[in-house]
Amino acid sequence: MATGDLALGHEQSKSAVVDAQQRVVNDFSIQVATVNGSGSQSANSVLLKSIFNMGVPVSGKNLFPSNIAGLPTWYTIRASKDGYVARRKKIDILVAMNAETAREDILGLHSGSVAIYDETLNLSQYRQDVVCYPVPFDKITAAVCPEARLRKLVKNMVYVGVVAHLLQIDMSSVEAALAKQFAKKQKALDLNFGAVRAGAEYAAEHLSKQDPFLIERMNSTAGKIIIDGNSAAGLGAVFAGVTVVAWYPITPSTSLVEATIEYLKKFRVTEEGKATFAVVQAEDELAAIGMVLGAGWAGARSMTATSGPGISLMAEFSGLGYFAEIPGVIFDVQRTGPSTGMPTRTSQADLLSTAFLSHGDTKHVILLPGSVKECFEFGYAAFDLTERLQTPVFVLSDLDLGMNNWMSDPFTYPETPLDRGKVLTAEDLNRLGGFARYADVDGDGIGYRTLPGTDHPKAAYFTRGSGHNSKAGYTEKPEDYLEIMDRLIRKFDTARTLVPAPVVTGNGKASVGVIAYGSSDFAVVEALDELKKQHAVEVDYMRVRAYPFTQSVHEFVASHERIYVVEQDRDAQLASLLKLDLAADQAVKLHSILHFNGLPIDAESILTELVVKEGL
Amino acid sequence: MATGDLALGHEQSKSAVVDAQQRVVNDFSIQVATVNGSGSQSANSVLLKSIFNMGVPVSGKNLFPSNIAGLPTWYTIRASKDGYVARRKKIDILVAMNAETAREDILGLHSGSVAIYDETLNLSQYRQDVVCYPVPFDKITAAVCPEARLRKLVKNMVYVGVVAHLLQIDMSSVEAALAKQFAKKQKALDLNFGAVRAGAEYAAEHLSKQDPFLIERMNSTAGKIIIDGNSAAGLGAVFAGVTVVAWYPITPSTSLVEATIEYLKKFRVTEEGKATFAVVQAEDELAAIGMVLGAGWAGARSMTATSGPGISLMAEFSGLGYFAEIPGVIFDVQRTGPSTGMPTRTSQADLLSTAFLSHGDTKHVILLPGSVKECFEFGYAAFDLTERLQTPVFVLSDLDLGMNNWMSDPFTYPETPLDRGKVLTAEDLNRLGGFARYADVDGDGIGYRTLPGTDHPKAAYFTRGSGHNSKAGYTEKPEDYLEIMDRLIRKFDTARTLVPAPVVTGNGKASVGVIAYGSSDFAVVEALDELKKQHAVEVDYMRVRAYPFTQSVHEFVASHERIYVVEQDRDAQLASLLKLDLAADQAVKLHSILHFNGLPIDAESILTELVVKEGL
Amino acid sequence: MATATATPTGTPGPKVNRIGLPVLEYRGGKTTLCAGCGHNAISERIIDALFEMGVQPERVMKLSGIGCSSKSPAYFLSRAHSFNSVHGRMPSVATGAVLANHTMMALGVSGDGDTASIGMGQFVHMMRRNLPMIYIIEDNGVYGLTKGQFSATADIGSKLKTGVINDLPAIDTCAMAIQLGATFVGRSFSGDKKQLLSMLKAAVAHKGTVMLDVISPCVTFNDHEGSTKSYKFMQEHDEPINELGFVPSFEEIDIEYDAGTTTDVTMHDGSSLRLRKLREDFNPTDRVGSVRTLMEAHENGEILTGVFYIDTAKPTFTDLLNLVDRPLGTQPESVTKPSAAVLQKVMAGLQ
Amino acid sequence: MATATATPTGTPGPKVNRIGLPVLEYRGGKTTLCAGCGHNAISERIIDALFEMGVQPERVMKLSGIGCSSKSPAYFLSRAHSFNSVHGRMPSVATGAVLANHTMMALGVSGDGDTASIGMGQFVHMMRRNLPMIYIIEDNGVYGLTKGQFSATADIGSKLKTGVINDLPAIDTCAMAIQLGATFVGRSFSGDKKQLLSMLKAAVAHKGTVMLDVISPCVTFNDHEGSTKSYKFMQEHDEPINELGFVPSFEEIDIEYDAGTTTDVTMHDGSSLRLRKLREDFNPTDRVGSVRTLMEAHENGEILTGVFYIDTAKPTFTDLLNLVDRPLGTQPESVTKPSAAVLQKVMAGLQ
Ligand SMILES: Cc1ncc(C[n+]2csc(CCOP(=O)(O)OP(=O)(O)O)c2C)c(N)n1
Ligand SMILES: Cc1ncc(C[n+]2csc(CCOP(=O)(O)OP(=O)(O)O)c2C)c(N)n1
Ligand code: SF4
Ligand code: SF4
Ligand SMILES: [Mg+2]
Ligand SMILES: [Mg+2]
């Protein structure tokens, strides 16, 4: 099965259907198997939100092909009363809407799970140990949707109704979700709600509940929002006052820019209808980052967003940004590489090459958001940092975080004023009588700059990627070059103190520590809870949030005997950066737990490895 | 002074002129300060070869600006009876031909050194502790060169004569050098030799030897050749049967391709006048590497050569080469970065970014030649390796190695047949009935490929940078992806066993080891000799010659207590790769000695650091 | 099908072509593009053209960049080697491949985004080199695979489904190709079976860069009202500038030739391409005139199709390189590795 | 100098221009280019033009790529910010800079290698966007800084000092720029002081992309017999297609205007550009005709100079973006950072 992990064959046990009296409440996962381009996305998101509206913590993951229409797609919804939102390997309820994969899909289920499918598929033939609910989808759809060309779409809502009924989700929750989805489109709302009801009615009349899975009302989602990481990051950028956006479309970063554009259009047009921003669809990623640097140099808060191949194309310009010390924010929503790789699968494998992106002793500052909330916060903070540090700042998210919907606390308004960094005005220059662009006046490695247009005869300086001295003059002198290069290291050390510090959980007394970052967080948290539950072992956990690493990372490693570095790549890239940063006698403590098959990491995989490695 | 290291102010001691009776024979350095574009290059190379012809080991380094004409240039010649050819910080003899830098140049000298200069410069005013030889260059030149427009050039030969006389270089040695330089151009030869003689005669008549420096005939250069690393590498490629060369000019790699082209024109045109090669000046480096991969895929031995900015531009395609497993050789003649940096200064700072060039878990095989001989050998071996391993192979040289002239033993003919790697023919396919392009048939991680044009209906396969299975079919399946990624790691491990092993010197019993690579070798060897001489300390020395590291690197580290990693970059990139490769308890032994001001590393700098770090 | 010959015996086997292959041997994998996508129709025509021309599948190299269009090579000619490279950089890969083996036919498929946006630099330089290959742009005015953003061939004023209007001028890849040095330049429409098939067959017979811009509607993102690359718009606006009559070398030419209305071109392999003028005064061998015609048509909002320019005399890039006959990629060691004596001579010269 | 006004008092100070600055304030660092390099002459003309037009140096942004030519911004206008970026990618940097501050004048200097080889992709797209800036190609047909390899503007048949002959067609950057959407396109010669100065002054007055290809001989690598970009060759072959009379907005126009022989263009800032025809039937407001004329001249081996195309009406890229007046880069936080209430509303919508 395309959506399961490697080793997971189906465990077809002979043991019969589970006792329906045994209740599994608010803790299971649903997988909807469809065909992409068939419009199942809104149905899935209605289902997700219906559960959310029941107050039950929920998460959704879309597993789609790099293709526009006609290929298999899976959408997984996890309801978790404990609030776990990572991917779960085990599927409890299958909605098999894709004839092509249906057989494989049902064969992948564990014993005691549930399958809902079109009756013509006759899936019960394959599994006696799975609760089967055949549904005549086409018939039900035809009855509620007279217009034939809409039926393909509307059919998806029928399964929402069936599932809602079987899980005992309140119709009012579904209706509220639908109302939001179809906002002001009453006709569409009616049609779709009709389909949902028809599905539910069919289920009520013809399906007798034989499975244990139920949604019961809780109060764990009140006040929460649902958003994807890309929208959150775009929102952060807009609140950071981004003014120039240059980009080139690439999955999975496209929606980050598209969300940014939507927000800009809404919130950043003056009363006279003028734009306080410029968005350029560049001709490629080389141009996109060139524009970002040109704009950053001339004083704009500028950004681009891309993914692996685009990051590679930005290598030369990134080095220019580093050496000429120009601000600019680059979002990298990571997908699976190398090369084109699997564009619709997630990964954390750009970390190392981004840290050293460009030839010749270049090093970059990287932010690592670990939730949609941090996508917003770092999407904002990246702009302060890039202008403060006068160096490109990369924000590494990933497909899982960026393109999937996540529950979150609402975002907090960033009250502090924008930090525009060390910029000299004409008045400053009058006072100072001039300035040396690349001199380390304050000892933090950061020079003062002026913006083009500053009305002072001594404002101008010459920006170049070639050798320059502290006055921005051209040089090939060894001592001038050394001065700049050493200062850049000082600046990098300043960055250490300015980037978001890691988040640590645990009582700090465990002998074992875990380090992870980004979207791995959800699975790590769950795995550590399980470790405690199943093995009574407590570990401390540090989620790093930026490169270069802050001092606390060193302290965390120093205060533990063994450190497991969990990440979603093959080459242990986070562990590598740690190894390079840590004293060697500390680096010896690092052990890697890697997950890199393109699917989001899950708690079970981590737990298994931890247990083996710790010999539990 | 632009050519000295940072701390090196002039040590103007009051102590008077050195006793001329004290003789310093075949062990000193000469620096000629000129203006670029003034044609001093041939004069300098005649001077170099004259000493070579005296049987004295010699090396020359050109320190030139990133500019075409009119700026200061320095050429340093080191004569060393002991055969040391690294840069030497100390200049013993200055030939000051550039009025603009003359004052600074002489102020940079140590006490007891020598200055030869145009009499109008009146340099003796600046230094009483330097032996001064003023020469009326223009007058001498005018007398031997009636044609005014040639005088600027011919003037340079006058200083050759002056120096030759002062150092007691045989005129026959100079004449032989000139004869070679001007090959079949008798008129130019006569004119230039006239100038040399006039210089020598002037010196004989008007300058009384007051310095101790002398060249005496030895027999240490017999059978040796003089060549630059770029020509040597080009020669290696031509003997490896390179058929497609795609490039874009960039200093300091341009001369590698230009040499290749010359050799190809000479040795690779058929009797009918047809070319057995294709050279394309591409529109940029992205295109150059694209052509290399296209050609490698279609069966050609293909190459490109570039430097830092070009390497960065090749990032995306390099990942494709890695993941789609396509051969191709990329020479990177390193210059000083980041960004445009100092294009005419040397560096080893592309190592780390090249090792991980491209996003998403990409890793590359890199060869690290340490002499002109190895430029030839690795220029050859890279093609065998890239076809054997079916992955791009990078050869990292540097400006110092690539553009300067070096003495060497003649190159040995590579007798083994070309290794074209695992390629299936139509007959093979008949026998096998088909093949799976990316299957690990032999357990070494390397699959079998076919070339376009193979006349068999089952020969074709689909090459892509997107997810593929062992049969080269498109896939997004986790298990297929894992299979390929794991095999690529196996292949990388195979590479470890195939790349050139390190060269180790020392008796293996020392507690201290030194690791270095590339052009640092010359300075390291000298430094270690001095360490032994001055401090009676012996250390073992391993020169690594490739990445990934062979097993012997691990063993070398394991068998020493402290390891000093000497390299020419700021960020300790070789040490970083070692740290990532070594077990952490071994990595703890590594200490860095870094040199990164753009000038070639010298023994004194290494020695000083070793002494300090070892507490000697 | 004119070029197919009957199977020797009377058995009712599948129709085969002049090299004895049935059309099945020219097919590829099942398409994963959207139903109705113009690109699929182009794949079909490529299959037909290669089948009818009797091209040996193993003698073809398929090359592409990234995009829906660039996936197409998977959907035809499975028996040919294929290289799906990176976005916008297929021309360089093709150049390398052609240099390694200039005896094969190189067939490149790109998209308008792949060519006119990210790929512009390499496109220009490939055209300039007149690299012998067929380069097809499957042109839908949008980036299909990334869900419908405008590409640089989108016409000014054309509208996305989201209502966004393109305010930048379209790049006319045909006018550029002619100006830069390509020697066979045409435009067609994926919905015009006949024209496209003839054009492709002629392309197979040409030596030099064939640049074909084929309007190929994206049914998912650019086939609506307001699009200038939709089926409907093309059906209404397609203005053929000439009518193609292609007669391959292995067939008899039997039609009469009228210099006034027809341009008759003898192709490199002896095939004949007859271009019947549908527009007075248009001459497909006149570079300047062709570019002028294209620019004028563009200003008038007309979409011309047909063969705009053909030059069968200009040397190709591989001609200029003066290559040996046998492919560089398979030259034996005896040819490519100089002898020990040669090395000795070089060494002697350096002493 | 027509545009300079005398200093107010009778003291014999240096001549100053209309904003009271002497020409000295328009100079830059000492050139490090070869003596006689055409690029130096262009720098001088830029200095003259900006001085005569009375441009405030602080209101200019200088941009360049990499090459001898791209070094030039260091040799004029020290009082202006300058960005010497990476090879071939100046257009994107300029685009970003102009977006960040569209109130300034952007002046880019590139080389033929920087533009027509590595930079082709970005060049094409900048022209297409009609980005408001002056883009100068200092065109010597070779890569000067890397010691004399042919660039893509080298003419077919031209010869290097080493004897190597260029066998690929030259790219005509002017024809391309016109076709793609630039709105002021001309060619000049670094040795033609008068023409180049007028052209640069007019360029300052234009709003939109000004693309000037200035033939600028490389004395070190491409000024020999056999070069088509040498001083001698240009002196012999330079064929002005029109004569420029530029009258800045702050001066009286006093010359008579004859529609038959002159095209009179009122520029954005009120200046006037008079183009006296030196060729019958050439009309610099006719895109198609201009491209045709350039292509024809090229085929005949003629080197035309002059203003080939001008359009003062077409909206620029910043017009299309509908930007606020004040530069984006210096918008206050109150404008760019939405309020807490806005965030609350967004959050509410996501619940
Ligand atoms: C370097 C890089 N940037 C961006 C992408 C994302 N991408 C994939 S296809 C595509 C556009 C394809 O458009 P087009 O060439 O017109 O093909 P179509 O899908 O319309 O047929 C883009 C931008 C990529 N794969 N690589
Ligand atoms: C990415 C990259 N590739 C190559 C180079 C080397 N390089 C520097 S200048 C130059 C060519 C410059 O030619 P042109 O633009 O015509 O300028 P000119 O020197 O002739 O004025 C090249 C190839 C570089 N700096 N960066
Ligand atoms: S999205 Fe458009 S271009 Fe892509 S396959 Fe579908 S119809 Fe074709
Ligand atoms: S090399 Fe040529 S282009 Fe460069 S400065 Fe000298 S003359 Fe000018
Ligand atoms: Mg497209
Ligand atoms: Mg040039």
Side-chain angles (χ1 to χ4, degrees), chain A residues 212-231:
Chain A
F213 303 107
L214 293 172
I215 292 291
E216 281 183 4
R217 199 169 277 284
M218 289 174 67
N219 196 13
S220 293
T221 65
K224 303 260 182 195
I225 59 166
I226 291 186
I227 192 171
D228 59 279
N230 281 347
S231 299

Side-chain angles (χ1 to χ4, degrees), chain A residues 316, chain B residues 68 248-251 254 284-285 306-311 313 335 340 343, chain D residues 33 37 39 65-72 86-89 110-118 137-147 149 151 153 216 218:
Chain A
E316 191 195 16
Chain B
I68 300 305
Y248 189 73
I250 184 167
T251 307
T254 302
D284 65 8
E285 291 87 347
T306 189
S307 190
I311 281 288
L313 288 174
R335 64 189 213 186
T340 303
Chain D
L33 302 180
C37 176
H39 303 351
I66 297 284
C68 293
S69 32
S70 292
K71 288 181 177 184
S72 308
V86 292
H87 193 29
R89 321 287 176 188
S110 180
D112 44 318
D114 197 62
T115 290
S117 300
I118 191 170
I137 306 176
E138 302 189 340
D139 185 357
N140 53 21
V142 290
Y143 298 173
L145 194 52
T146 54
K147 307 207 155 190
Q149 301 82 6
S151 80
T153 67
S216 174
C218 170

Side-chain angles (χ1 to χ4, degrees), chain B residues 326-348:
Chain B
I326 301 168
V329 173
I330 300 118
F331 291 93
D332 174 12
V333 187
Q334 297 170 94
R335 64 189 213 186
T336 307
S339 193
T340 303
M342 302 195 291
T344 60
R345 295 291 180 269
T346 197
S347 158
Q348 296 185 323

Side-chain angles (χ1 to χ4, degrees), chain C residues 322-348:
Chain C
N322 192 24
L323 300 182
V324 282
D325 294 341
R326 185 167 165 178
L328 291 181
T330 51
Q331 290 288 334
E333 180 163 346
S334 57
V335 169
T336 62
K337 185 175 174 181
S339 69
V342 168
L343 184 63
Q344 251 174 7
K345 233 178 76 185
V346 175
M347 290 300 105

Side-chain angles (χ1 to χ4, degrees), chain D residues 41 56 94 150 162 194 206 208 234 247-248 264 277 291 295 330 341:
Chain D
Q56 178 76 27
F150 280 123
T162 56
K194 191 160 161 284
H206 184 72
M234 276 308 291
V247 186
D264 208 41
K277 291 184 189 174
V291 169
M295 286 183 75
T330 52

Side-chain angles (χ1 to χ4, degrees), chain C residues 50-287:
Chain C
L50 297 180
F51 169 73
E52 294 187 22
M53 291 294 285
V55 173
Q56 177 76 27
E58 286 75 21
R59 302 299 307 155
V60 179
M61 303 190 281
K62 299 177 291 178
L63 301 129
S64 64
I66 297 286
C68 294
S69 32
S70 293
K71 287 181 177 184
S72 307
Y75 315 135
F76 59 83
L77 216 62
S78 289
R79 275 174 58 174
H81 272 74
S82 194
F83 195 144
N84 181 197
S85 66
V86 292
H87 193 30
R89 322 287 176 189
M90 176 259 277
S92 61
V93 174
T95 304
V98 166
L99 295 183
N101 194 335
H102 66 294
T103 67
M104 292 179 70
M105 181 184 139
L107 173 60
V109 178
S110 180
D112 43 318
D114 197 62
T115 290
S117 300
I118 191 170
M120 185 45 79
Q122 298 208 343
F123 174 75
V124 164
H125 286 276
M126 200 192 108
M127 295 303 129
R128 181 172 174 251
R129 293 192 184 103
N130 192 28
L131 183 81
M133 83 172 287
I134 301 171
Y135 187 96
I136 299 170
I137 306 177
E138 301 190 341
D139 185 357
N140 53 20
V142 291
Y143 298 172
L145 194 52
T146 55
K147 306 205 157 190
Q149 302 82 5
F150 279 125
S151 81
T153 68
D155 290 301
I156 213 162
S158 75
K159 210 195 295 186
L160 285 188
K161 270 181 167 177
T162 57
V164 175
I165 289 178
N166 177 38
D167 53 14
L168 293 176
I171 291 177
D172 185 338
T173 49
C174 290
M176 280 188 91
I178 296 169
Q179 212 181 297
L180 289 161
T183 44
F184 185 134
V185 178
R187 176 170 286 132
S188 189
F189 166 42
S190 68
D192 186 342
K193 282 195 189 189
K194 191 159 162 282
Q195 186 195 48
L196 180 54
L197 179 59
S198 302
M199 218 183 270
L200 286 167
K201 292 201 295 189
V204 170
H206 183 72
K207 195 174 145 258
T209 298
V210 179
M211 205 306 278
L212 303 182
D213 179 40
V214 186
I215 310 297
S216 173
C218 170
V219 291
T220 305
F221 299 111
N222 206 14
D223 197 32
H224 50 276
E225 197 62 43
S227 159
T228 58
K229 298 268 198 286
S230 65
Y231 281 109
K232 184 151 169 276
F233 193 88
M234 276 308 291
Q235 271 139 12
E236 286 165 3
H237 292 77
D238 181 351
E239 276 197 47
I241 198 162
N242 43 31
E243 209 179 81
L244 280 68
F246 177 75
V247 185
S249 59
F250 48 84
E251 274 179 27
E252 291 288 304
I253 306 182
D254 48 10
I255 323 141
E256 302 254 309
Y257 169 62
D258 167 4
T261 61
T262 315
T263 309
D264 207 40
V265 186
T266 305
M267 319 264 319
H268 175 250
D269 70 345
S271 301
S272 151
L273 177 62
R274 285 213 169 146
L275 299 167
R276 195 167 69 77
K277 292 183 189 175
L278 296 180
R279 236 183 223 213
E280 281 306 302
D281 81 350
F282 179 76
N283 172 4
T285 64
D286 168 17
R287 276 175 76 231

Side-chain angles (χ1 to χ4, degrees), chain B residues 174-378:
Chain B
V174 185
E175 193 175 4
L178 273 168
K180 196 140 199 175
Q181 183 83 20
F182 295 100
K184 282 153 207 155
K185 299 176 204 138
Q186 189 61 40
K187 254 178 74 180
L189 174 59
D190 291 345
L191 179 64
N192 282 284
F193 194 42
V196 170
R197 268 193 316 239
E201 279 157 21
Y202 177 87
E205 278 172 44
H206 300 92
L207 305 177
S208 72
K209 178 88 173 170
Q210 289 174 289
D211 68 83
F213 303 107
L214 293 173
I215 291 292
E216 282 182 6
R217 200 168 279 283
M218 287 175 69
N219 195 13
S220 294
T221 65
K224 303 259 182 195
I225 59 165
I226 292 186
I227 192 171
D228 59 280
N230 281 349
S231 299
L235 197 61
V238 170
F239 277 83
V242 65
T243 44
V244 175
V245 181
W247 72 301
Y248 189 73
I250 184 167
T251 307
S253 70
T254 302
S255 60
L256 195 160
V257 177
E258 285 175 344
T260 307
I261 294 171
E262 287 312 307
Y263 291 126
L264 285 171
K265 281 187 183 163
K266 259 195 213 148
F267 308 132
R268 292 281 300 282
V269 174
T270 63
E271 279 164 22
E272 301 79 44
K274 295 275 185 177
T276 66
F277 61 86
V279 179
V280 194
Q281 185 182 308
E283 55 273 30
D284 65 8
E285 291 87 347
L286 286 101
I289 188 168
M291 291 174 192
V292 165
L293 293 182
W297 171 77
R301 293 204 137 183
S302 60
M303 67 173 259
T304 187
T306 189
S307 190
I311 281 288
S312 282
L313 288 174
M314 293 180 183
E316 191 195 15
F317 258 128
S318 296
L320 175 69
Y322 172 78
F323 197 45
E325 305 185 53
I326 301 168
V329 173
I330 300 118
F331 291 93
D332 174 12
V333 187
Q334 297 170 94
R335 64 189 213 186
T336 307
S339 193
T340 303
M342 302 195 291
T344 60
R345 295 291 180 269
T346 197
S347 158
Q348 296 185 323
D350 295 351
L351 183 64
L352 193 56
S353 57
T354 303
F356 303 116
L357 192 65
S358 210
H359 60 280
D361 283 329
T362 301
K363 281 182 170 205
H364 296 293
V365 174
I366 305 175
L367 302 188
L368 304 168
S371 63
V372 290
K373 192 151 191 282
E374 282 184 354
C375 286
F376 172 77
E377 290 167 0
F378 294 6

